[in-house]
């Protein structure tokens, strides 16, 4: 990734942060129905506010000897112990986290740091393989023993000196099990709550990663997305989430839905931290060091000369439309020219995506399960379906596994009809973006990522409508 593309990423994330309604993030949890602001994440012993501090600010303090990774890691571990029993965002912490932090402190003392993430605590969504921690995708079927190796992205984080703080809860199997799931619930972790109002849903499937950041339980986190699973929880919890194009972040060692759409990406409380983390995940730490992260895109005039397409999505309701009106005003105040747009082909794209994913999930989950050891670990999708039928704990919020059953019956990915469907889907998704950008001479398209947070209800399931993530999720095939 060139310097210019890093700056472009920051510009895109800055636009997204306006839409997410980012503010000073709450440190504590509100009671159900309580909309009062929670206390901020002040950490007097560190001399920083964990809600607002950025990675460059932390690194400056470490370089001056005013802060250590050990102290920062301890502060987050204390917050997890104190706050997470109410939120249920963190499944487990890494018992080696303090040792990792001590190793980073030694590198800082000797001037041998590995880059901007050295000593920075990171939480991983629990569908990202870790050799020394369980990786369950929220399912008891994978709880018997950890994977044999780290995911490729975890290797990059470790090589960059990041402190792996622990694993976050998620919507079980990344929300690809039941026809009416409840986001943020898994048999392993129970229900993750939105830290702002506990009876509201955090969206999924990267629910734990987003909720943990909103509660300042880690500096950054890793999420994964097939279609909406980073951007919706980021929006619902008021944090920054970046769903990369397919390819820059390796999917090796990540529990799959579809190799045609899955990607991991960074989540953070601010744009700078998300961009720095993406530079590491994509293997370009030099871009993070280069100073290309200093764009003033959110300042008055910072978007002068840019044309932004505003995709309102009125189906999300009057409250969201009012946010979009305020967003248009904010973008214009930053110097942008705002043009209202509606990308074409959305109905046909919606008709094609789900059946394609069914075929791809069967192929890809079978391949992943073959890599996992354990006497009681399912070896393929058919065995996984039987596991769920015979384990009552997998049915405590919802019993359905309709998507598993439909995937088992779906045509294989070698079927000509499937191939034609995926080809048409990719083509239309690309055209929906490219034609909109060209017709209006746009630099970016801004759209809402989620409706207002709905109440969590296992009997009803989710009440989500999230159409804006689909064109990018489908069109960016490597």
């Amino acid at each position: 990734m060139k310097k210019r593309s890093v700056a472009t990423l920051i510009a895109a994330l800055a636009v997204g942060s306006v839409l997410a309604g980012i503010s000073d993030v709450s440190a504590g949890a509100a009671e159900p129905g309580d909309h009062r602001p929670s206390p901020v994440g002040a950490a007097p012993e560190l001399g920083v506010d964990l809600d607002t501090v950025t990675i460059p600010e932390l690194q400056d303090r470490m370089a001056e000897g005013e802060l250590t990774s050990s102290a920062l890691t301890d502060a987050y571990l204390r917050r997890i112990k104190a706050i997470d029993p109410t939120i249920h965002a963190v499944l487990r912490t890494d018992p080696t986290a303090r040792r990792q932090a001590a190793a980073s402190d030694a590198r800082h003392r000797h001037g041998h740091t590995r880059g901007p993430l050295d000593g920075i605590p990171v939480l991983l969504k629990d569908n990202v393989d870790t050799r020394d921690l369980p990786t369950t995708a929220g399912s008891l079927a994978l709880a018997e023993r950890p994977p044999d190796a780290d995911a490729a992205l975890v290797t990059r984080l470790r090589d960059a000196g990041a402190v792996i703080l622990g694993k976050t809860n998620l919507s079980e199997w990344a929300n690809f099990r039941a026809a009416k799931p409840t986001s943020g619930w898994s048999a392993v972790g129970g229900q993750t709550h939105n830290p702002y109002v506990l009876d509201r849903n955090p969206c999924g499937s990267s629910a734990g990663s987003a909720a943990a950041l909103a509660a300042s339980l880690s500096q950054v986190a890793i999420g994964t997305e097939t279609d909406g699973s980073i951007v919706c929880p980021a929006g619902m919890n008021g944090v920054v989430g970046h769903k990369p194009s397919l390819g820059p972040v390796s999917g090796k060692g990540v529990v799959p839905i579809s190799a045609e759409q899955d990607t991991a990406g960074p989540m953070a409380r601010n744009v700078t931290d998300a961009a720095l983390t993406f530079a590491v995940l994509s293997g370009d730490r030099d871009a993070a060091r280069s100073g290309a992260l200093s764009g003033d895109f959110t300042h008055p005039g910072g978007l002068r000369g840019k044309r932004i397409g505003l995709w309102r999505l009125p189906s999300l309701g009057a409250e969201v439309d009012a946010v979009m009106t305020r967003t248009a005003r904010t973008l214009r105040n930053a110097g942008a020219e705002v043009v209202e747009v509606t990308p074409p082909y959305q109905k046909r794209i919606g008709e094609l995506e789900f059946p394609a994913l069914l075929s791809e999930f069967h192929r890809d989950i079978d391949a992943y399960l073959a890599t996992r050891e354990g006497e009681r670990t399912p070896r393929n999708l058919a065995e996984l379906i039987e596991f769920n039928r015979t384990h009552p704990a997998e049915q405590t919020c919802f019993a359905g596994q309709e998507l598993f059953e439909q995937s088992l019956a779906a045509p294989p990915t070698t079927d000509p009809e499937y191939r034609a469907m995926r080809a048409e889907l990719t083509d239309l998704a690309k055209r929906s973006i490219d034609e909109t950008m060209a017709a209006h001479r746009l630099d970016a398209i801004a759209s809402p990522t989620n409706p207002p947070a709905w109440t969590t209800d296992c009997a009803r399931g989710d009440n989500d409508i999230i159409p804006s993530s689909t064109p990018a999720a489908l069109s960016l095939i490597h």
Side-chain angles (χ1 to χ4, degrees):
M1 180 171 62
K2 306 296 185 186
K3 291 182 182 181
R4 181 180 176 185
S5 61
V6 177
T8 302
L9 168 61
I10 296 177
L13 289 172
V15 171
S17 72
V18 172
L19 301 178
I22 288 178
S23 60
D24 289 347
V25 181
S26 303
E31 294 300 320
D34 184 352
H35 294 264
R36 294 173 300 172
S38 301
V40 295
E45 71 280 11
L46 301 181
V48 299
D49 182 346
L50 294 177
D51 288 350
T52 60
V53 70
T54 66
I55 288 173
E57 291 167 347
L58 291 171
Q59 291 293 354
D60 286 346
R61 291 180 62 84
M62 289 182 191
E64 294 296 325
E66 299 171 355
L67 176 68
T68 64
S69 175
S70 295
L72 181 64
T73 299
D74 281 342
Y76 278 124
L77 289 172
R78 285 194 298 272
R79 290 182 63 78
I80 291 170
K81 184 176 182 180
I83 295 172
D84 193 62
T86 304
I87 300 169
H88 303 298
V90 180
L91 288 177
R92 62 191 67 86
T93 56
D94 190 332
T96 72
R98 288 186 173 92
R99 188 160 68 244
Q100 298 173 57
S104 175
D105 290 337
R107 290 192 294 272
H108 277 85
R109 285 195 300 271
H110 293 93
H112 297 149
T113 57
R114 299 176 178 177
L117 258 59
D118 202 335
I120 301 301
V122 179
L123 285 169
L124 305 173
K125 185 177 178 180
D126 197 35
N127 61 349
V128 177
D129 282 357
T130 42
R131 64 178 183 268
D132 51 358
L133 289 172
T135 300
T136 69
S139 172
L140 298 170
L142 297 181
E144 188 174 352
R145 57 176 289 182
D148 291 334
D150 284 337
L153 73 87
V154 177
T155 299
R156 282 185 169 171
L157 289 168
R158 292 192 197 277
D159 289 346
V163 175
I164 305 301
L165 195 61
K167 305 296 280 288
T168 59
N169 196 24
L170 68 159
S171 309
E172 186 172 315
W173 296 107
N175 253 350
F176 204 81
R177 186 191 113 179
K180 288 299 291 183
T182 299
S183 285
W185 180 86
S186 75
V188 171
Q191 180 65 52
T192 295
H193 303 292
N194 192 308
Y196 286 105
V197 184
L198 292 176
D199 65 352
R200 296 286 167 166
N201 198 267
C203 201
S205 63
S206 303
S209 294
L213 289 170
S216 297
L217 303 184
S218 180
Q219 189 65 27
V220 293
I222 305 303
T224 67
E225 175 162 329
T226 304
D227 186 350
S229 287
I230 289 175
V231 296
C232 182
M236 205 78 89
N237 293 273
V239 300
V240 178
H242 174 50
K243 185 267 184 191
S245 302
L246 196 65
V249 182
S250 172
K252 183 179 180 181
V254 178
V255 183
I257 292 177
S258 164
E260 273 70 30
Q261 292 181 212
D262 295 347
T263 184
M267 304 179 76
R269 286 186 298 277
N270 60 76
V271 169
T272 297
D273 287 5
L276 287 167
T277 305
F278 175 66
V280 170
L281 293 176
S282 61
D284 194 355
R285 287 181 295 176
D286 289 340
R289 292 175 183 264
S290 69
L293 302 178
S294 59
D296 295 327
F297 294 103
T298 58
H299 294 176
L303 292 175
R304 185 170 290 113
K306 304 298 182 183
R307 287 174 58 86
I308 309 296
L310 197 74
W311 185 13
R312 281 187 174 270
L313 289 166
S315 61
L316 296 182
E319 291 175 297
V320 174
D321 200 54
V323 171
M324 295 304 292
T325 297
R326 295 196 298 272
T327 296
R329 187 182 309 122
T330 300
L331 293 172
R332 290 188 179 105
N333 288 342
E337 185 175 354
V338 178
V339 182
E340 296 204 9
V341 300
T342 301
Y345 315 123
Q346 299 309 302
K347 181 179 178 181
R348 180 59 175 162
I349 288 169
E351 293 170 350
L352 292 170
E353 181 185 23
F354 178 64
L357 290 177
L358 292 174
S359 294
E360 291 153 7
F361 179 73
H362 189 182
R363 174 197 65 197
D364 294 337
I365 199 64
D366 277 3
Y368 177 82
L369 290 172
T371 71
R372 296 296 298 267
E373 302 294 334
E375 289 184 14
R376 294 178 296 278
T377 301
R379 309 305 299 164
N380 53 49
L381 179 57
E383 291 185 12
L384 180 55
I385 291 171
E386 183 60 26
F387 181 96
N388 290 336
R389 286 174 179 159
T390 56
H391 285 73
E394 287 290 341
Q395 304 168 34
T396 55
C397 182
F398 52 86
Q401 52 178 335
E402 296 89 350
L403 304 193
F404 281 5
E405 292 162 347
Q406 291 173 45
S407 292
L408 191 64
T413 55
T414 54
D415 185 272
E417 290 188 14
Y418 157 78
R419 291 182 174 179
M421 179 169 52
R422 173 51 79 177
E424 182 184 358
L425 184 57
T426 302
D427 177 63
L428 289 178
K430 287 181 177 180
R431 287 170 57 192
S432 74
I433 296 174
D434 292 346
E435 290 176 11
T436 303
M437 298 285 285
H440 299 279
R441 296 176 287 109
L442 301 177
D443 295 286
I445 299 173
S447 62
T449 56
N450 51 274
W454 54 87
T455 53
T456 298
D457 185 338
C458 285
R460 184 199 64 220
D462 286 343
N463 186 31
D464 59 328
I465 308 170
I466 323 168
S468 66
S469 61
T470 300
L474 293 165
S475 64
L476 300 171
I477 304 300
H478 61 158

